[in-house]
Amino acid sequence: MLESDVEAFLAAVSLEKGQSANTVASYGRDLRFFTRFLSARGKTASAAVTRADIVAFLAAERAEGLKGSTRARRTAAIRAFFRHLAARRLVPHDPTELLEAPKKALVLPRVLSESEVFALLDAVAGDDPRTLRDRALLEVMYGCGLRVSEVCDLKQDDFVANGELVRILGKGAKERIVPIGGAAARALRRYLDGGREAFARGDLGETHVFLTRLGRPFTRQGVFKVIRERAAAVGIAADRISPHVLRHCFASHLLAHGADVRAIQEMLGHADIATTQVYTHVDAHRFAEVHRLHPRHDLV
């Protein structure tokens, strides 16, 4: 049955491939949309699903106005599901073999200017524990390009080489090493020396770096709240700022200063260079905007 096969697939993805909880949850959501569509067509067994069923599902998604990126993600989930079933001979063949994924439109990541990021960071000033924590949190996210889940999971022993490098366990349980810039290292040291203990309350068993007022590790929602609260104080609208925007700023600003895109790929933990190359489009867009100001821009 489809539903039991989906549950078995999700368990396998989580255990065998070491995918993050967010990836597994995303697969689950996308496949539930798919199985509901199939159920309405009278298909309840995985072996009965055809390529025509999948094409019909994607066509219905398009007709509902879903973005190409969403349809591409759901296609990837369906393809992974049937590859899993085919490898275990639970279906006679893989109906996704000749399936083309919907093309994703290039969506340029939102970024803040360097001056806006510096204003955000510099506004978090003071010696009280909360300020020291928030400044370190923001500096580390921007200075290292971390995902929100990665900053939530940071442990004290993840910092190596006298605090000059941080070891990150990213998507797919892949480990990478990222340098820590001077500003981030200084903010982190001030927090660890003079702020963290106020949150840890003597709990030696708690090794997470960033802790809430209750002495617990941050959640994704907690990090969002800190960032948006601090951004609001310097006039940055909530819809322009998020943990991922700071990650985009890290990459875009490095590129603008001449960093090699391969090095940025390694620091971000991107498996595919194409994911990182979107930042070259951000820079090209900026160059185009500047060039439009040239007095001969519109001359033929």
Side-chain angles (χ1 to χ4, degrees):
M1 299 295 286
L2 265 169
E3 291 186 1
S4 59
D5 284 345
V6 167
E7 292 305 316
F9 164 70
L10 296 176
V13 168
S14 178
L15 296 174
E16 297 173 17
K17 298 188 177 181
Q19 295 285 1
S20 70
N22 291 331
T23 298
V24 176
S26 178
Y27 273 151
R29 285 191 297 271
D30 290 334
L31 289 172
R32 276 189 282 278
F33 279 106
F34 181 52
T35 55
R36 281 199 288 268
F37 175 84
L38 293 173
S39 179
R41 290 168 68 93
K43 297 285 181 79
T44 57
S46 302
V49 179
T50 65
R51 182 176 179 276
D53 291 319
I54 300 170
V55 170
F57 169 70
L58 295 174
E61 298 274 276
R62 183 172 185 174
E64 289 180 13
L66 267 71
K67 295 186 296 184
S69 57
T70 301
R71 290 182 285 116
R73 192 193 66 230
R74 290 185 178 171
T75 302
I78 294 167
R79 182 176 280 121
F81 173 57
F82 279 105
R83 283 178 179 170
H84 167 84
L85 296 181
R88 287 157 177 75
R89 298 184 180 179
L90 298 174
V91 292
H93 67 280
D94 180 357
T96 69
E97 275 185 341
L98 301 177
L99 191 68
E100 291 186 8
K103 292 183 179 178
K104 295 188 287 185
L106 178 63
V107 179
L108 298 182
R110 291 176 296 163
V111 294
L112 303 176
S113 68
E114 290 184 34
S115 61
E116 286 178 310
V117 174
F118 292 169
L120 168 64
L121 297 174
D122 292 341
V124 187
D127 294 324
D128 60 284
R130 184 171 181 268
T131 299
L132 292 175
R133 181 201 65 191
D134 292 0
R135 177 66 178 262
L137 178 71
L138 293 170
E139 291 278 11
V140 168
M141 292 193 74
Y142 173 62
C144 301
L146 303 187
R147 299 178 178 95
V148 63
S149 58
E150 293 169 350
V151 79
C152 290
D153 290 342
L154 271 183
K155 307 284 182 43
Q156 293 185 81
D157 61 4
D158 287 333
F159 296 94
V160 297
N162 294 320
E164 294 181 6
L165 303 171
V166 60
R167 183 175 52 238
I168 304 297
L169 192 65
K171 285 186 175 181
K174 293 179 180 177
E175 187 177 287
R176 69 185 191 276
I177 300 293
V178 181
I180 304 174
R186 287 190 295 274
L188 184 64
R189 179 48 53 200
R190 291 186 66 204
Y191 163 62
L192 293 176
D193 289 345
R196 185 181 178 280
E197 180 55 34
F199 301 103
R201 302 174 184 178
D203 183 359
L204 300 179
E206 179 52 76
T207 61
H208 284 84
V209 173
F210 296 108
L211 302 174
T212 68
R213 61 183 178 81
L214 299 177
R216 297 170 184 163
F218 265 91
T219 62
R220 296 162 61 90
Q221 292 78 12
V223 174
F224 265 88
K225 184 178 178 181
V226 168
I227 290 176
R228 288 183 170 165
E229 177 185 328
R230 295 298 186 175
V234 293
I236 298 174
D239 62 356
R240 295 188 62 225
I241 187 71
S242 71
H244 221 65
V245 166
L246 285 181
R247 180 168 156 88
H248 291 323
C249 290
F250 164 82
S252 182
H253 297 171
L254 273 178
L255 185 67
H257 283 273
D260 178 73
V261 71
R262 289 280 182 187
I264 296 173
Q265 176 193 5
E266 291 293 327
M267 288 187 282
L268 290 175
H270 286 161
D272 187 348
I273 187 65
T275 308
T276 315
Q277 284 173 332
V278 68
Y279 296 107
T280 64
H281 292 283
V282 174
D283 220 38
H285 178 71
R286 186 183 300 123
F287 292 155
E289 289 296 317
V290 170
H291 194 265
R292 287 192 183 94
L293 301 176
H294 193 285
R296 295 179 63 83
H297 177 78
D298 293 324
L299 295 181
V300 178

